[in-house]
Amino acid sequence: MNDATRQPIRFLLSDMDGTLLLPDHSLSSRTIDAVRALREAGIYFSLATGRPPRAMLAQIKTLGVDLPTAAFNGGTIVHPDGRFLARHHLPVDAAITTIELFSTQPEVEVWVFADGEWLLRDPHGPMVPREQHGLGYPPVVVKGFEEYLPRIDKIVAASNNASLLVELEAQLQARVDGQAQVSRSQPVYLDVTAMEANKGQALVTLAAFLGVDLAHTAALGDGGNDPAMFHKAGLSIAMGQAQEEVRRQADRVTASNVDDGAAQAIERYILAR
């Protein structure tokens, strides 16, 4: 154990899907109780997710989160009353490059998040029902994305062909280097956001807002967009079902989300201090 992981934790920033949430997107009673115990112990708690703000409201209410939360991988940090603490749109050139690349792939569904909506051209894509269930609201069908280019929060390539998304991730990173963040929030989702829109920067912003030194922060997650906050946090914890590449970048590994790994991590690594 290094010096950083010995520090008492004052703020935990957690991913949602695959971390706090079960595969059906619900919260277990043990997880709800663990988060409540954090707050009762005077430890700040908030959420960082690839989801849009609108798709976090039910979980925010259930968990009693009263701090700003980070949506779109940190591209939007919003107060409970809807005011923005930070907001970063994808540069237009990067958005055009991304949409053009993704649109050449027949196995990829292209989704754009802008103006508070989930936009797509094909409402019958095989990945749509899964996303609609997770978000809790339907998409808006558009003929094209041109009018939204200056205001895009996130672009997603969705595909059941996970290996294809790995290839596209490498291709796109080379094309938008220095302009955008490219990461797989889940094996079937490839997210593209502004450079400032990453969970590491979200942790830094929220910690500064709360007046908490980064050495006293913890990060919990399972996806390819979570190591960005692992590298900033005083203590980082990966979920047991996370890919090896993610797990090896964390200080600790807990159980999987189906085994209440988030609650176990809170109890063992944070509250126990």
Side-chain angles (χ1 to χ4, degrees):
M1 182 181 292
N2 59 40
D3 289 340
T5 59
R6 292 193 187 101
Q7 297 285 351
I9 300 303
R10 294 185 55 211
F11 171 44
L12 170 62
L13 185 61
S14 177
D15 172 52
M16 287 177 55
D17 295 281
T19 300
L20 291 177
L21 303 184
L22 294 166
D24 66 357
H25 304 291
S26 67
L27 286 158
S28 73
S29 58
R30 184 174 177 182
T31 296
I32 295 170
D33 289 344
V35 172
R36 182 185 301 116
L38 278 177
R39 300 178 70 227
E40 290 174 350
I43 299 169
Y44 296 120
F45 174 82
S46 192
L47 304 169
T49 175
R51 290 180 177 221
R54 183 176 167 188
M56 304 168 66
L57 298 179
Q59 292 78 17
I60 288 171
K61 181 178 180 180
T62 300
L63 294 170
V65 179
D66 56 2
L67 301 176
T69 51
F72 297 127
N73 297 328
T76 296
I77 302 179
V78 60
H79 291 275
D81 63 5
R83 291 177 298 114
F84 293 111
L85 178 61
R87 192 172 193 183
H88 308 286
H89 290 127
L90 189 64
V92 172
D93 288 347
I96 293 172
T97 298
T98 299
I99 293 169
E100 288 179 348
L101 176 61
F102 290 170
S103 297
T104 64
Q105 304 295 323
E107 293 184 76
V108 168
E109 298 173 44
V110 184
W111 301 339
V112 168
F113 291 85
D115 295 349
E117 300 289 354
W118 167 28
L119 310 168
L120 47 69
R121 291 174 291 200
D122 179 11
H124 305 295
M127 302 293 290
V128 170
R130 168 180 173 155
E131 183 72 355
Q132 183 167 333
H133 176 68
L135 294 181
Y137 61 88
V140 173
V141 180
V142 296
K143 292 184 178 180
F145 303 118
E146 290 78 11
E147 68 176 282
Y148 303 98
L149 288 173
R151 306 181 304 280
I152 292 177
D153 295 298
K154 183 175 73 167
I155 300 174
V156 178
S159 176
N160 281 314
N161 188 339
S163 60
L164 173 60
L165 294 185
V166 173
E167 296 174 9
L168 287 176
E169 180 179 13
Q171 291 181 37
L172 187 59
Q173 281 180 333
R175 298 187 188 187
V176 298
D177 183 42
Q179 301 178 63
Q181 296 276 350
V182 185
S183 64
R184 282 172 291 128
S185 55
Q186 298 182 44
V188 295
Y189 292 153
L190 179 59
D191 295 354
V192 185
T193 55
M195 281 299 296
E196 303 89 346
N198 67 84
K199 293 186 181 183
Q201 186 56 48
L203 177 63
V204 171
T205 299
L206 287 168
F209 172 78
L210 296 169
V212 175
D213 190 278
L214 287 174
H216 298 281
T217 65
L220 176 62
D222 77 305
N225 55 353
D226 292 321
M229 63 177 174
F230 289 178
H231 299 156
K232 297 291 186 180
L235 172 66
S236 55
I237 309 165
M239 300 298 292
Q241 85 283 358
Q243 294 183 346
E244 172 60 25
E245 181 182 0
V246 174
R247 296 199 306 271
R248 64 181 172 80
Q249 296 182 71
D251 298 315
R252 298 286 179 267
V253 177
T254 186
S256 71
N257 61 328
V258 298
D259 294 316
D260 281 323
Q264 290 187 43
I266 290 170
E267 295 159 1
R268 179 177 181 183
Y269 300 121
I270 300 176
L271 290 174
R273 296 177 183 226

